[in-house]
């Protein structure tokens, strides 16, 4: 999950559906680039598209200014050197941090906002935008063992997120920790942007920020009535593809070990870290997609599933989470209420399906 960081580079607006979203005739859509990812907004009232796009851009810009590790003037970067002594933070920064701590609690610490130093040690930080080594690659197919294998032979460390002190007026972060809110801030930005468009314009809206999609208000018209958003779920082009219907007001997030990869000390690494060790999680899953009431929840569970590896399936089933997991050989497993129907993109074979529940997201 790439979070706030890379500079925004706006592209020409268009009404054709971007990758991942099916757009009915009675909707309008525009897309641009932010944080090195595709951002998009789709509205149910075409006349409001320009205004909706401005609202989404403003929401994203506010989040970026609050917590980006990739700009010196962000609140995070300016306050970080003094956080061990306690600092006052803005309402937006507080909201982003509170949501990051919510994600940590709901995932048992698998999503931890204190991995900034670990990411920096792996070379993920300012100056990496545009680096040739930062790319999306297909994880090599590997045989799946009959029994889960230990991910690391290291000693787990104390959870960093539980050591933060967030009081009514100040935030205190131990000197050995550095914040990185990227694992949750992008999802929060999608939630905030969608809610703002619906609140200010009153139309149905679907906001996409990379692999995070959040909706608000009524869905597109189906037979004269508000219907569902039609979403294409796929990571890289050669991966298994599926079309789902997303109920208005719900969200979908996809976390991937195939994207945001780069070379570090001769090894290829990715950006989803196991907080226990501060190292990239084992790529048991090429991607995990989750549907939930908010993008924050969807993103938290999809990221945590990557971190948990083989244990993710039982955990998601126990929690009743609607999820779709694609393993290293390209096989699809579903949990909760995620629809089981899948299909292969042209040229991809060898997919097998694990039965899951039907219905809408």
């Amino acid at each position: 999950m790439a979070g706030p960081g890379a500079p925004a580079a706006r592209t020409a607006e268009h009404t054709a559906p971007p990758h991942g979203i099916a757009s009915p005739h009675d909707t309008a859509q525009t897309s641009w680039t932010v944080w090195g990812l595709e951002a998009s907004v789709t509205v149910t009232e075409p006349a409001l598209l320009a205004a909706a796009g401005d609202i989404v851009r403003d929401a994203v810009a506010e989040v970026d200014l609050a917590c980006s590790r990739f700009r010196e003037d962000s609140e995070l970067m300016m306050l970080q050197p003094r956080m061990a002594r306690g600092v006052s933070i803005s309402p937006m920064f507080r909201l982003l941090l509170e949501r990051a701590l919510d994600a940590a609690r709901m995932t048992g610490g698998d999503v931890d906002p204190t991995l900034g130093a670990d990411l920096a040690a792996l070379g993920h930080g300012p100056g990496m935008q545009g680096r040739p080594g930062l790319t999306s690659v297909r994880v090599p197919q590997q045989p799946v063992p009959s029994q889960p294998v230990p991910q690391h032979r290291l000693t787990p460390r104390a959870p960093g997120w539980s050591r933060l002190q967030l009081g009514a007026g100040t935030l205190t972060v131990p000197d050995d920790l550095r914040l990185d809110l990227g694992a949750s801030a992008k999802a929060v930005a999608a939630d905030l942007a969608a809610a703002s468009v619906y609140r200010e314009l009153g139309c149905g809206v679907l906001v996409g920020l990379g692999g995070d999609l959040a909706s608000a208000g009524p869905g597109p018209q189906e037979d004269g009535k508000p219907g569902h958003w039609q979403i294409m779920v796929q990571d890289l082009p050669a991966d298994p593809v599926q079309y789902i219907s997303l109920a208005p007001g719900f969200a979908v997030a996809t976390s991937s070990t195939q994207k945001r990869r780069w070379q570090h000390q001769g090894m290829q690494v990715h950006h989803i870290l196991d907080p226990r060790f501060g190292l990239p999680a084992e790529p048991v899953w090429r991607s995990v997609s989750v549907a939930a009431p908010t993008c924050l929840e969807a993103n938290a569970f999809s990221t945590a599933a990557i971190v948990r590896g083989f244990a993710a399936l039982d955990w998601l089933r126990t929690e009743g989470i609607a999820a779709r997991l694609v393993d290293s050989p390209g096989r699809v497993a579903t949990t909760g209420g995620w629809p089981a129907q899948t299909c292969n993109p042209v040229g991809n074979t060898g997919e097998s399906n694990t039965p899951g529940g039907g219905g809408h997201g």
Side-chain angles (χ1 to χ4, degrees):
M1 292 233 334
R10 183 172 176 178
T11 61
E13 295 186 352
H14 59 84
T15 54
H19 177 75
I21 304 174
S23 180
H25 295 298
D26 60 348
T27 65
Q29 190 174 83
T30 184
S31 67
W32 62 99
T33 301
V34 67
W35 302 328
L37 306 166
E38 183 180 53
S40 66
V41 57
T42 308
V43 294
T44 57
E45 297 184 30
L48 299 177
L49 179 62
D54 289 340
I55 292 171
V56 174
R57 289 184 181 90
D58 288 345
V60 169
E62 187 176 5
V63 169
D64 190 61
L65 184 60
C67 71
S68 174
R69 287 196 307 115
F70 294 80
R71 49 187 295 180
E72 294 181 355
D73 64 338
S74 74
E75 183 175 358
L76 170 63
M77 295 303 290
M78 290 192 294
L79 294 181
Q80 189 93 263
R82 298 186 283 112
M83 286 184 177
R85 302 190 299 272
V87 294
S88 297
I89 56 178
S90 69
M92 174 56 73
F93 193 94
R94 172 176 288 274
L95 173 65
L96 294 170
L97 182 56
E98 288 175 343
R99 294 297 179 267
L101 294 175
D102 288 341
R105 294 186 190 97
M106 72 177 69
T107 62
D110 289 333
V111 180
D112 192 318
T114 65
L115 302 180
D118 299 296
L119 285 166
L122 290 169
H124 190 279
M128 77 179 304
Q129 297 95 334
R131 183 196 299 178
L134 183 63
T135 186
S136 297
V137 299
R138 186 179 180 86
V139 175
Q141 292 191 0
Q142 301 174 357
V144 178
S146 57
Q147 295 294 328
V149 295
Q151 289 190 347
H152 301 283
R153 296 180 181 274
L154 302 175
T155 302
R157 61 192 186 186
W161 68 276
S162 63
R163 299 169 57 199
L164 302 182
Q165 298 180 28
L166 181 60
T170 61
L171 165 67
T172 304
V173 179
D175 193 50
D176 60 315
L177 298 178
R178 294 293 181 271
L179 293 181
D180 177 81
L181 306 185
S184 58
K186 180 160 63 72
V188 175
D191 283 331
L192 291 175
S196 294
V197 170
Y198 178 50
R199 181 177 63 252
E200 296 184 30
L201 302 180
C203 62
V205 61
L206 181 69
V207 173
L209 297 177
D212 292 344
L213 301 174
S215 67
Q221 291 290 311
E222 295 178 3
D223 299 325
K225 299 178 181 179
H228 291 68
W229 295 100
Q230 304 305 309
I231 309 294
M232 184 180 76
V233 180
Q234 186 183 40
D235 193 17
L236 296 186
D239 287 355
V241 64
Q242 181 178 16
Y243 295 88
I244 65 170
S245 294
L246 183 70
F250 280 72
V252 174
T254 296
S255 297
S256 169
T257 60
Q258 302 186 100
K259 296 180 177 177
R260 295 285 174 175
R261 299 180 73 93
W262 65 97
Q263 290 290 328
H264 176 70
Q265 297 182 350
M267 297 182 63
Q268 193 173 88
V269 295
H270 64 83
H271 68 290
I272 300 180
L273 305 188
D274 185 332
R276 298 172 300 169
F277 311 108
L279 297 172
E282 293 291 338
V284 172
W285 308 108
R286 288 215 299 265
S287 65
V288 178
S289 301
V290 170
T294 68
C295 202
L296 173 69
E297 295 172 69
N299 182 276
F301 283 107
S302 65
T303 303
I306 295 287
V307 172
R308 294 200 178 207
F310 289 106
L313 273 175
D314 286 343
W315 175 61
L316 292 171
R317 286 168 177 156
T318 299
E319 296 292 328
I321 304 301
R324 176 182 187 262
L325 304 90
V326 182
D327 70 6
S328 183
R331 298 174 299 188
V332 176
T334 59
T335 66
W338 191 281
Q341 298 86 353
T342 61
C343 62
N344 288 316
V346 176
N348 188 27
T349 59
E351 176 189 351
S352 63
N353 303 321
T354 299
H360 298 290

